[in-house]
Amino acid sequence: MPQSVPNGLPSWAYNIPDKVQAPRAEATGPVHLAGSTKVYDAAEVANSANPPDWFPNEHGAAPRIVKDETGTTKMACGSCHLMSGQGHPESADIAGLPAEYIVRQMSYFKKRGAER
């Protein structure tokens, strides 16, 4: 995450955190989400390797990689793009994209990671 706006670009395009952050209490116990009947423990909600599925009846079964049931410790796709593929405001909606597109993008990511 950038700590300053690079090269005079518009500040609205960058989420620069305040230098002083307010203290934050660690979330514990059960977590409820409005409109969902699911309840997860705060540690489950914070686990980006196996994100919670708040609305499982709104979409088909997620592939193993989306929930990261592969045994790796990387961030699962569903952490950013949600279990439904609808994404957060800061991440793309991927629901309904052709499988070929997803495979191609993952190939690019893998290749780019190997170059680093």
Side-chain angles (χ1 to χ4, degrees), residues 45-109:
V45 173
N47 181 0
S48 60
N50 191 9
D53 191 352
W54 294 102
F55 302 99
N57 297 330
E58 292 184 0
H59 56 82
R64 288 177 5 133
I65 190 70
V66 173
K67 287 191 62 72
D68 195 18
E69 295 172 352
T70 61
T72 63
T73 57
K74 299 176 179 137
M75 285 184 64
C77 302
S79 296
C80 297
H81 300 287
L82 303 177
M83 300 307 295
S84 64
Q86 298 299 314
H88 291 288
E90 68 276 8
S91 59
D93 291 350
I94 59 173
L97 291 175
E100 295 81 9
Y101 172 82
I102 302 291
V103 170
R104 185 175 63 236
Q105 290 301 106
M106 294 299 101
S107 175
Y108 292 156
F109 289 144

Short mmCIF file of all heavy atoms in Angstrom, two decimals, residues 45-109:
data_model
loop_
_atom_site.label_atom_id
_atom_site.label_comp_id
_atom_site.label_asym_id
_atom_site.label_seq_id
_atom_site.Cartn_x
_atom_site.Cartn_y
_atom_site.Cartn_z
N VAL A 45 -13.91 -15.43 10.39
CA VAL A 45 -14.16 -14.29 9.51
C VAL A 45 -12.84 -13.65 9.09
O VAL A 45 -12.67 -13.24 7.94
CB VAL A 45 -15.07 -13.25 10.19
CG1 VAL A 45 -15.20 -11.99 9.36
CG2 VAL A 45 -16.43 -13.85 10.48
N ALA A 46 -11.87 -13.61 9.99
CA ALA A 46 -10.58 -12.98 9.71
C ALA A 46 -9.64 -13.88 8.90
O ALA A 46 -8.62 -13.41 8.40
CB ALA A 46 -9.90 -12.61 11.02
N ASN A 47 -9.99 -15.13 8.71
CA ASN A 47 -9.13 -16.08 8.02
C ASN A 47 -9.26 -15.91 6.50
O ASN A 47 -10.20 -16.38 5.90
CB ASN A 47 -9.48 -17.50 8.43
CG ASN A 47 -8.62 -18.54 7.76
OD1 ASN A 47 -7.73 -18.23 6.97
ND2 ASN A 47 -8.89 -19.79 8.09
N SER A 48 -8.29 -15.23 5.89
CA SER A 48 -8.38 -14.98 4.45
C SER A 48 -8.02 -16.21 3.62
O SER A 48 -8.19 -16.20 2.40
CB SER A 48 -7.48 -13.81 4.06
OG SER A 48 -6.13 -14.10 4.38
N ALA A 49 -7.56 -17.27 4.24
CA ALA A 49 -7.28 -18.50 3.50
C ALA A 49 -8.54 -19.35 3.33
O ALA A 49 -8.59 -20.22 2.48
CB ALA A 49 -6.20 -19.32 4.21
N ASN A 50 -9.55 -19.09 4.14
CA ASN A 50 -10.79 -19.85 4.05
C ASN A 50 -11.96 -18.93 4.42
O ASN A 50 -12.49 -18.99 5.53
CB ASN A 50 -10.75 -21.07 4.98
CG ASN A 50 -11.89 -22.02 4.73
OD1 ASN A 50 -12.64 -21.88 3.77
ND2 ASN A 50 -12.04 -23.00 5.60
N PRO A 51 -12.35 -18.04 3.51
CA PRO A 51 -13.34 -17.01 3.83
C PRO A 51 -14.73 -17.59 4.11
O PRO A 51 -15.09 -18.64 3.57
CB PRO A 51 -13.37 -16.14 2.58
CG PRO A 51 -12.86 -17.03 1.50
CD PRO A 51 -11.91 -17.98 2.13
N PRO A 52 -15.50 -16.91 4.96
CA PRO A 52 -16.85 -17.39 5.25
C PRO A 52 -17.78 -17.19 4.06
O PRO A 52 -17.58 -16.29 3.25
CB PRO A 52 -17.29 -16.51 6.43
CG PRO A 52 -16.49 -15.26 6.29
CD PRO A 52 -15.18 -15.68 5.68
N ASP A 53 -18.77 -18.03 3.97
CA ASP A 53 -19.78 -17.91 2.92
C ASP A 53 -21.08 -17.49 3.60
O ASP A 53 -21.83 -18.32 4.10
CB ASP A 53 -19.94 -19.25 2.19
CG ASP A 53 -20.79 -19.13 0.94
OD1 ASP A 53 -21.36 -18.05 0.71
OD2 ASP A 53 -20.86 -20.12 0.20
N TRP A 54 -21.33 -16.21 3.61
CA TRP A 54 -22.50 -15.67 4.32
C TRP A 54 -23.81 -16.01 3.63
O TRP A 54 -24.84 -16.10 4.28
CB TRP A 54 -22.37 -14.15 4.46
CG TRP A 54 -21.23 -13.74 5.33
CD1 TRP A 54 -20.01 -13.27 4.92
CD2 TRP A 54 -21.17 -13.79 6.75
NE1 TRP A 54 -19.22 -13.02 6.00
CE2 TRP A 54 -19.91 -13.32 7.15
CE3 TRP A 54 -22.08 -14.17 7.74
CZ2 TRP A 54 -19.51 -13.23 8.48
CZ3 TRP A 54 -21.69 -14.08 9.07
CH2 TRP A 54 -20.43 -13.62 9.43
N PHE A 55 -23.79 -16.17 2.32
CA PHE A 55 -25.03 -16.40 1.57
C PHE A 55 -24.88 -17.60 0.64
O PHE A 55 -24.92 -17.47 -0.59
CB PHE A 55 -25.40 -15.15 0.77
CG PHE A 55 -25.57 -13.93 1.64
CD1 PHE A 55 -24.54 -13.00 1.77
CD2 PHE A 55 -26.75 -13.73 2.33
CE1 PHE A 55 -24.69 -11.89 2.58
CE2 PHE A 55 -26.91 -12.61 3.14
CZ PHE A 55 -25.88 -11.69 3.27
N PRO A 56 -24.72 -18.81 1.18
CA PRO A 56 -24.45 -19.99 0.35
C PRO A 56 -25.60 -20.37 -0.58
O PRO A 56 -25.37 -21.05 -1.57
CB PRO A 56 -24.18 -21.09 1.38
CG PRO A 56 -24.88 -20.63 2.61
CD PRO A 56 -24.79 -19.13 2.60
N ASN A 57 -26.81 -19.94 -0.29
CA ASN A 57 -27.96 -20.29 -1.13
C ASN A 57 -28.09 -19.39 -2.36
O ASN A 57 -28.95 -19.61 -3.20
CB ASN A 57 -29.25 -20.26 -0.32
CG ASN A 57 -29.24 -21.27 0.79
OD1 ASN A 57 -28.62 -22.32 0.67
ND2 ASN A 57 -29.91 -20.96 1.88
N GLU A 58 -27.24 -18.38 -2.46
CA GLU A 58 -27.34 -17.43 -3.57
C GLU A 58 -26.44 -17.79 -4.75
O GLU A 58 -26.40 -17.07 -5.74
CB GLU A 58 -27.00 -16.02 -3.09
CG GLU A 58 -28.03 -15.46 -2.15
CD GLU A 58 -27.74 -14.03 -1.74
OE1 GLU A 58 -26.72 -13.46 -2.19
OE2 GLU A 58 -28.52 -13.48 -0.97
N HIS A 59 -25.70 -18.88 -4.64
CA HIS A 59 -24.78 -19.26 -5.71
C HIS A 59 -24.51 -20.76 -5.63
O HIS A 59 -24.82 -21.41 -4.64
CB HIS A 59 -23.46 -18.47 -5.62
CG HIS A 59 -22.79 -18.61 -4.29
ND1 HIS A 59 -21.99 -19.69 -3.96
CD2 HIS A 59 -22.82 -17.84 -3.19
CE1 HIS A 59 -21.56 -19.55 -2.73
NE2 HIS A 59 -22.05 -18.44 -2.23
N GLY A 60 -23.92 -21.28 -6.69
CA GLY A 60 -23.57 -22.69 -6.71
C GLY A 60 -22.40 -22.99 -5.80
O GLY A 60 -21.82 -22.08 -5.18
N ALA A 61 -22.04 -24.25 -5.72
CA ALA A 61 -20.91 -24.65 -4.89
C ALA A 61 -19.63 -23.99 -5.41
O ALA A 61 -19.39 -23.92 -6.62
CB ALA A 61 -20.76 -26.17 -4.91
N ALA A 62 -18.84 -23.50 -4.51
CA ALA A 62 -17.59 -22.84 -4.88
C ALA A 62 -16.50 -23.88 -5.18
O ALA A 62 -16.42 -24.89 -4.49
CB ALA A 62 -17.13 -21.93 -3.75
N PRO A 63 -15.68 -23.61 -6.18
CA PRO A 63 -14.54 -24.50 -6.43
C PRO A 63 -13.60 -24.52 -5.22
O PRO A 63 -13.56 -23.55 -4.45
CB PRO A 63 -13.84 -23.87 -7.64
CG PRO A 63 -14.86 -22.99 -8.26
CD PRO A 63 -15.76 -22.54 -7.16
N ARG A 64 -12.83 -25.57 -5.07
CA ARG A 64 -11.93 -25.71 -3.91
C ARG A 64 -10.99 -24.53 -3.76
O ARG A 64 -10.73 -24.08 -2.66
CB ARG A 64 -11.12 -27.00 -4.02
CG ARG A 64 -11.94 -28.23 -3.79
CD ARG A 64 -11.16 -29.53 -3.96
NE ARG A 64 -9.74 -29.36 -4.22
CZ ARG A 64 -8.78 -30.03 -3.59
NH1 ARG A 64 -9.07 -30.92 -2.69
NH2 ARG A 64 -7.52 -29.83 -3.90
N ILE A 65 -10.49 -23.99 -4.86
CA ILE A 65 -9.53 -22.89 -4.78
C ILE A 65 -10.16 -21.62 -4.21
O ILE A 65 -9.50 -20.81 -3.58
CB ILE A 65 -8.88 -22.60 -6.16
CG1 ILE A 65 -7.71 -21.63 -6.04
CG2 ILE A 65 -9.92 -22.07 -7.14
CD1 ILE A 65 -6.51 -22.18 -5.35
N VAL A 66 -11.46 -21.44 -4.42
CA VAL A 66 -12.13 -20.24 -3.92
C VAL A 66 -12.14 -20.22 -2.40
O VAL A 66 -11.97 -19.19 -1.78
CB VAL A 66 -13.57 -20.14 -4.50
CG1 VAL A 66 -14.34 -19.00 -3.87
CG2 VAL A 66 -13.51 -19.98 -6.00
N LYS A 67 -12.30 -21.39 -1.79
CA LYS A 67 -12.24 -21.47 -0.33
C LYS A 67 -10.86 -21.90 0.16
O LYS A 67 -10.59 -21.96 1.33
CB LYS A 67 -13.27 -22.48 0.19
CG LYS A 67 -14.69 -21.96 0.09
CD LYS A 67 -15.67 -22.82 0.84
CE LYS A 67 -15.48 -22.91 2.30
NZ LYS A 67 -15.79 -21.75 3.10
N ASP A 68 -9.95 -22.17 -0.76
CA ASP A 68 -8.60 -22.63 -0.48
C ASP A 68 -8.60 -23.91 0.34
O ASP A 68 -7.98 -24.00 1.39
CB ASP A 68 -7.73 -21.56 0.18
CG ASP A 68 -6.26 -21.95 0.11
OD1 ASP A 68 -5.91 -22.82 -0.71
OD2 ASP A 68 -5.45 -21.41 0.87
N GLU A 69 -9.32 -24.89 -0.14
CA GLU A 69 -9.31 -26.21 0.48
C GLU A 69 -8.18 -27.05 -0.10
O GLU A 69 -8.16 -28.27 0.04
CB GLU A 69 -10.66 -26.90 0.26
CG GLU A 69 -11.81 -26.20 0.95
CD GLU A 69 -13.16 -26.77 0.58
OE1 GLU A 69 -13.25 -27.61 -0.33
OE2 GLU A 69 -14.14 -26.36 1.21
N THR A 70 -7.23 -26.40 -0.75
CA THR A 70 -6.13 -27.11 -1.40
C THR A 70 -5.00 -27.42 -0.42
O THR A 70 -4.07 -28.12 -0.77
CB THR A 70 -5.57 -26.27 -2.56
OG1 THR A 70 -5.08 -25.03 -2.03
CG2 THR A 70 -6.63 -26.01 -3.62
N GLY A 71 -5.05 -26.86 0.77
CA GLY A 71 -4.01 -27.12 1.76
C GLY A 71 -2.89 -26.10 1.75
O GLY A 71 -1.96 -26.19 2.53
N THR A 72 -2.97 -25.10 0.88
CA THR A 72 -1.95 -24.05 0.88
C THR A 72 -2.35 -22.98 1.88
O THR A 72 -3.45 -22.98 2.42
CB THR A 72 -1.82 -23.42 -0.52
OG1 THR A 72 -3.07 -22.80 -0.86
CG2 THR A 72 -1.46 -24.45 -1.56
N THR A 73 -1.46 -22.05 2.14
CA THR A 73 -1.75 -21.00 3.12
C THR A 73 -1.89 -19.64 2.48
O THR A 73 -1.75 -18.63 3.12
CB THR A 73 -0.64 -20.95 4.19
OG1 THR A 73 0.61 -20.74 3.52
CG2 THR A 73 -0.58 -22.23 4.99
N LYS A 74 -2.15 -19.60 1.19
CA LYS A 74 -2.31 -18.33 0.49
C LYS A 74 -3.73 -17.80 0.67
O LYS A 74 -4.61 -18.50 1.12
CB LYS A 74 -2.02 -18.53 -0.99
CG LYS A 74 -0.59 -18.99 -1.23
CD LYS A 74 -0.36 -19.25 -2.68
CE LYS A 74 1.08 -19.67 -2.84
NZ LYS A 74 1.28 -20.77 -3.70
N MET A 75 -3.92 -16.55 0.28
CA MET A 75 -5.26 -15.98 0.33
C MET A 75 -6.15 -16.66 -0.71
O MET A 75 -5.76 -16.82 -1.86
CB MET A 75 -5.23 -14.48 0.07
CG MET A 75 -4.71 -13.68 1.23
SD MET A 75 -4.77 -11.91 0.93
CE MET A 75 -6.51 -11.63 0.78
N ALA A 76 -7.31 -17.05 -0.30
CA ALA A 76 -8.26 -17.67 -1.21
C ALA A 76 -8.93 -16.61 -2.06
O ALA A 76 -9.10 -15.46 -1.64
CB ALA A 76 -9.31 -18.44 -0.41
N CYS A 77 -9.35 -16.99 -3.26
CA CYS A 77 -10.01 -16.06 -4.19
C CYS A 77 -11.22 -15.40 -3.52
O CYS A 77 -11.48 -14.21 -3.72
CB CYS A 77 -10.47 -16.81 -5.43
SG CYS A 77 -9.16 -17.65 -6.33
N GLY A 78 -11.97 -16.19 -2.74
CA GLY A 78 -13.18 -15.69 -2.12
C GLY A 78 -12.94 -14.62 -1.07
O GLY A 78 -13.87 -13.94 -0.65
N SER A 79 -11.69 -14.43 -0.64
CA SER A 79 -11.39 -13.38 0.34
C SER A 79 -11.66 -12.00 -0.24
O SER A 79 -12.13 -11.12 0.46
CB SER A 79 -9.93 -13.45 0.78
OG SER A 79 -9.68 -14.64 1.45
N CYS A 80 -11.35 -11.81 -1.50
CA CYS A 80 -11.55 -10.52 -2.16
C CYS A 80 -12.80 -10.50 -3.05
O CYS A 80 -13.55 -9.54 -3.05
CB CYS A 80 -10.34 -10.14 -3.00
SG CYS A 80 -8.83 -9.93 -2.05
N HIS A 81 -12.97 -11.57 -3.80
CA HIS A 81 -14.06 -11.61 -4.78
C HIS A 81 -15.34 -12.19 -4.20
O HIS A 81 -16.34 -12.29 -4.91
CB HIS A 81 -13.62 -12.41 -6.01
CG HIS A 81 -12.43 -11.81 -6.68
ND1 HIS A 81 -12.48 -10.65 -7.41
CD2 HIS A 81 -11.13 -12.21 -6.71
CE1 HIS A 81 -11.27 -10.36 -7.86
NE2 HIS A 81 -10.44 -11.29 -7.45
N LEU A 82 -15.33 -12.57 -2.95
CA LEU A 82 -16.45 -13.15 -2.21
C LEU A 82 -16.83 -14.52 -2.78
O LEU A 82 -16.44 -14.87 -3.89
CB LEU A 82 -17.66 -12.22 -2.19
CG LEU A 82 -17.39 -10.83 -1.60
CD1 LEU A 82 -18.65 -9.97 -1.70
CD2 LEU A 82 -16.91 -10.92 -0.18
N MET A 83 -17.56 -15.27 -2.01
CA MET A 83 -17.94 -16.61 -2.43
C MET A 83 -18.87 -16.58 -3.64
O MET A 83 -18.92 -17.50 -4.42
CB MET A 83 -18.58 -17.37 -1.27
CG MET A 83 -17.66 -17.51 -0.06
SD MET A 83 -16.06 -18.21 -0.46
CE MET A 83 -16.54 -19.83 -0.97
N SER A 84 -19.58 -15.49 -3.80
CA SER A 84 -20.51 -15.35 -4.92
C SER A 84 -19.83 -14.84 -6.18
O SER A 84 -20.43 -14.86 -7.25
CB SER A 84 -21.62 -14.37 -4.54
OG SER A 84 -21.06 -13.08 -4.33
N GLY A 85 -18.59 -14.36 -6.06
CA GLY A 85 -17.91 -13.76 -7.20
C GLY A 85 -18.27 -12.31 -7.43
O GLY A 85 -17.81 -11.68 -8.37
N GLN A 86 -19.11 -11.74 -6.55
CA GLN A 86 -19.56 -10.36 -6.73
C GLN A 86 -18.51 -9.34 -6.32
O GLN A 86 -18.60 -8.18 -6.71
CB GLN A 86 -20.85 -10.12 -5.93
CG GLN A 86 -22.00 -10.98 -6.38
CD GLN A 86 -22.38 -10.73 -7.82
OE1 GLN A 86 -22.50 -9.60 -8.26
NE2 GLN A 86 -22.54 -11.80 -8.58
N GLY A 87 -17.53 -9.72 -5.54
CA GLY A 87 -16.44 -8.82 -5.17
C GLY A 87 -16.83 -7.74 -4.19
O GLY A 87 -18.00 -7.51 -3.91
N HIS A 88 -15.81 -7.09 -3.66
CA HIS A 88 -15.96 -5.90 -2.81
C HIS A 88 -15.85 -4.68 -3.73
O HIS A 88 -15.45 -4.81 -4.89
CB HIS A 88 -14.82 -5.85 -1.79
CG HIS A 88 -14.88 -6.91 -0.74
ND1 HIS A 88 -15.80 -6.90 0.27
CD2 HIS A 88 -14.13 -8.02 -0.56
CE1 HIS A 88 -15.60 -7.95 1.05
NE2 HIS A 88 -14.59 -8.65 0.57
N PRO A 89 -16.12 -3.47 -3.22
CA PRO A 89 -15.96 -2.29 -4.08
C PRO A 89 -14.54 -2.16 -4.65
O PRO A 89 -14.35 -1.67 -5.74
CB PRO A 89 -16.27 -1.13 -3.14
CG PRO A 89 -17.20 -1.71 -2.12
CD PRO A 89 -16.71 -3.13 -1.93
N GLU A 90 -13.55 -2.62 -3.90
CA GLU A 90 -12.16 -2.48 -4.35
C GLU A 90 -11.65 -3.68 -5.15
O GLU A 90 -10.51 -3.70 -5.59
CB GLU A 90 -11.23 -2.23 -3.16
CG GLU A 90 -11.08 -3.41 -2.22
CD GLU A 90 -12.17 -3.53 -1.17
OE1 GLU A 90 -13.16 -2.80 -1.20
OE2 GLU A 90 -12.00 -4.40 -0.29
N SER A 91 -12.47 -4.69 -5.35
CA SER A 91 -12.06 -5.86 -6.13
C SER A 91 -13.10 -6.17 -7.20
O SER A 91 -14.28 -5.93 -7.02
CB SER A 91 -11.83 -7.08 -5.24
OG SER A 91 -13.00 -7.40 -4.53
N ALA A 92 -12.65 -6.71 -8.28
CA ALA A 92 -13.53 -6.93 -9.43
C ALA A 92 -14.59 -7.98 -9.19
O ALA A 92 -14.37 -8.95 -8.47
CB ALA A 92 -12.68 -7.34 -10.63
N ASP A 93 -15.74 -7.78 -9.82
CA ASP A 93 -16.75 -8.83 -9.90
C ASP A 93 -16.24 -9.84 -10.92
O ASP A 93 -15.88 -9.47 -12.03
CB ASP A 93 -18.09 -8.27 -10.38
CG ASP A 93 -18.75 -7.36 -9.37
OD1 ASP A 93 -18.28 -7.29 -8.23
OD2 ASP A 93 -19.73 -6.70 -9.74
N ILE A 94 -16.21 -11.11 -10.55
CA ILE A 94 -15.76 -12.13 -11.50
C ILE A 94 -16.87 -13.13 -11.81
O ILE A 94 -16.69 -14.00 -12.66
CB ILE A 94 -14.49 -12.85 -11.00
CG1 ILE A 94 -14.75 -13.53 -9.66
CG2 ILE A 94 -13.33 -11.88 -10.92
CD1 ILE A 94 -13.60 -14.40 -9.19
N ALA A 95 -18.01 -12.98 -11.15
CA ALA A 95 -19.13 -13.88 -11.42
C ALA A 95 -19.55 -13.77 -12.87
O ALA A 95 -19.69 -12.68 -13.42
CB ALA A 95 -20.31 -13.54 -10.51
N GLY A 96 -19.72 -14.90 -13.53
CA GLY A 96 -20.19 -14.92 -14.90
C GLY A 96 -19.12 -14.77 -15.95
O GLY A 96 -19.41 -14.87 -17.14
N LEU A 97 -17.87 -14.54 -15.53
CA LEU A 97 -16.80 -14.46 -16.53
C LEU A 97 -16.52 -15.85 -17.08
O LEU A 97 -16.66 -16.85 -16.38
CB LEU A 97 -15.52 -13.89 -15.90
CG LEU A 97 -15.58 -12.42 -15.51
CD1 LEU A 97 -14.30 -12.01 -14.79
CD2 LEU A 97 -15.77 -11.55 -16.75
N PRO A 98 -16.08 -15.95 -18.33
CA PRO A 98 -15.79 -17.27 -18.90
C PRO A 98 -14.64 -17.95 -18.16
O PRO A 98 -13.68 -17.30 -17.74
CB PRO A 98 -15.36 -16.95 -20.34
CG PRO A 98 -15.76 -15.55 -20.60
CD PRO A 98 -15.89 -14.86 -19.28
N ALA A 99 -14.74 -19.25 -18.01
CA ALA A 99 -13.69 -20.02 -17.33
C ALA A 99 -12.33 -19.80 -17.98
O ALA A 99 -11.30 -19.72 -17.30
CB ALA A 99 -14.04 -21.50 -17.33
N GLU A 100 -12.32 -19.66 -19.30
CA GLU A 100 -11.06 -19.45 -20.02
C GLU A 100 -10.37 -18.16 -19.56
O GLU A 100 -9.15 -18.09 -19.47
CB GLU A 100 -11.30 -19.38 -21.53
CG GLU A 100 -11.80 -20.67 -22.13
CD GLU A 100 -13.32 -20.89 -21.95
OE1 GLU A 100 -14.05 -19.97 -21.50
OE2 GLU A 100 -13.76 -22.02 -22.22
N TYR A 101 -11.16 -17.13 -19.29
CA TYR A 101 -10.60 -15.87 -18.81
C TYR A 101 -9.92 -16.07 -17.45
O TYR A 101 -8.81 -15.60 -17.24
CB TYR A 101 -11.69 -14.80 -18.71
CG TYR A 101 -11.21 -13.53 -18.05
CD1 TYR A 101 -10.50 -12.58 -18.78
CD2 TYR A 101 -11.46 -13.30 -16.70
CE1 TYR A 101 -10.05 -11.42 -18.18
CE2 TYR A 101 -11.01 -12.13 -16.09
CZ TYR A 101 -10.30 -11.21 -16.84
OH TYR A 101 -9.85 -10.07 -16.23
N ILE A 102 -10.61 -16.75 -16.55
CA ILE A 102 -10.05 -16.98 -15.21
C ILE A 102 -8.76 -17.79 -15.32
O ILE A 102 -7.76 -17.46 -14.68
CB ILE A 102 -11.07 -17.72 -14.31
CG1 ILE A 102 -12.37 -16.92 -14.19
CG2 ILE A 102 -10.48 -18.02 -12.95
CD1 ILE A 102 -12.29 -15.63 -13.44
N VAL A 103 -8.76 -18.84 -16.13
CA VAL A 103 -7.57 -19.67 -16.30
C VAL A 103 -6.41 -18.83 -16.86
O VAL A 103 -5.27 -18.92 -16.38
CB VAL A 103 -7.87 -20.88 -17.22
CG1 VAL A 103 -6.59 -21.60 -17.62
CG2 VAL A 103 -8.83 -21.83 -16.53
N ARG A 104 -6.70 -17.98 -17.84
CA ARG A 104 -5.67 -17.13 -18.43
C ARG A 104 -5.10 -16.16 -17.38
O ARG A 104 -3.89 -15.98 -17.28
CB ARG A 104 -6.23 -16.37 -19.63
CG ARG A 104 -5.16 -15.55 -20.36
CD ARG A 104 -5.69 -14.89 -21.62
NE ARG A 104 -6.73 -13.93 -21.32
CZ ARG A 104 -7.97 -13.95 -21.82
NH1 ARG A 104 -8.33 -14.89 -22.67
NH2 ARG A 104 -8.84 -13.02 -21.50
N GLN A 105 -5.97 -15.55 -16.59
CA GLN A 105 -5.52 -14.62 -15.56
C GLN A 105 -4.64 -15.32 -14.53
O GLN A 105 -3.62 -14.80 -14.11
CB GLN A 105 -6.71 -13.94 -14.88
CG GLN A 105 -7.44 -12.95 -15.76
CD GLN A 105 -6.54 -11.85 -16.26
OE1 GLN A 105 -6.16 -11.83 -17.41
NE2 GLN A 105 -6.19 -10.93 -15.39
N MET A 106 -5.05 -16.52 -14.12
CA MET A 106 -4.25 -17.26 -13.14
C MET A 106 -2.89 -17.62 -13.73
O MET A 106 -1.87 -17.60 -13.03
CB MET A 106 -4.98 -18.53 -12.68
CG MET A 106 -6.25 -18.27 -11.88
SD MET A 106 -5.96 -17.34 -10.36
CE MET A 106 -6.46 -15.70 -10.84
N SER A 107 -2.85 -17.92 -15.00
CA SER A 107 -1.58 -18.20 -15.68
C SER A 107 -0.68 -16.97 -15.66
O SER A 107 0.52 -17.06 -15.38
CB SER A 107 -1.85 -18.64 -17.12
OG SER A 107 -0.64 -18.81 -17.81
N TYR A 108 -1.26 -15.79 -15.91
CA TYR A 108 -0.49 -14.55 -15.85
C TYR A 108 0.04 -14.31 -14.44
O TYR A 108 1.19 -13.93 -14.26
CB TYR A 108 -1.34 -13.35 -16.27
CG TYR A 108 -1.74 -13.31 -17.72
CD1 TYR A 108 -2.87 -12.60 -18.11
CD2 TYR A 108 -1.01 -13.96 -18.71
CE1 TYR A 108 -3.26 -12.54 -19.44
CE2 TYR A 108 -1.40 -13.90 -20.05
CZ TYR A 108 -2.52 -13.19 -20.39
OH TYR A 108 -2.90 -13.12 -21.70
N PHE A 109 -0.80 -14.51 -13.43
CA PHE A 109 -0.37 -14.32 -12.05
C PHE A 109 0.78 -15.25 -11.70
O PHE A 109 1.76 -14.87 -11.08
CB PHE A 109 -1.52 -14.54 -11.07
CG PHE A 109 -2.57 -13.45 -11.08
CD1 PHE A 109 -3.90 -13.78 -10.90
CD2 PHE A 109 -2.25 -12.12 -11.28
CE1 PHE A 109 -4.88 -12.80 -10.91
CE2 PHE A 109 -3.22 -11.14 -11.31
CZ PHE A 109 -4.54 -11.48 -11.11
#
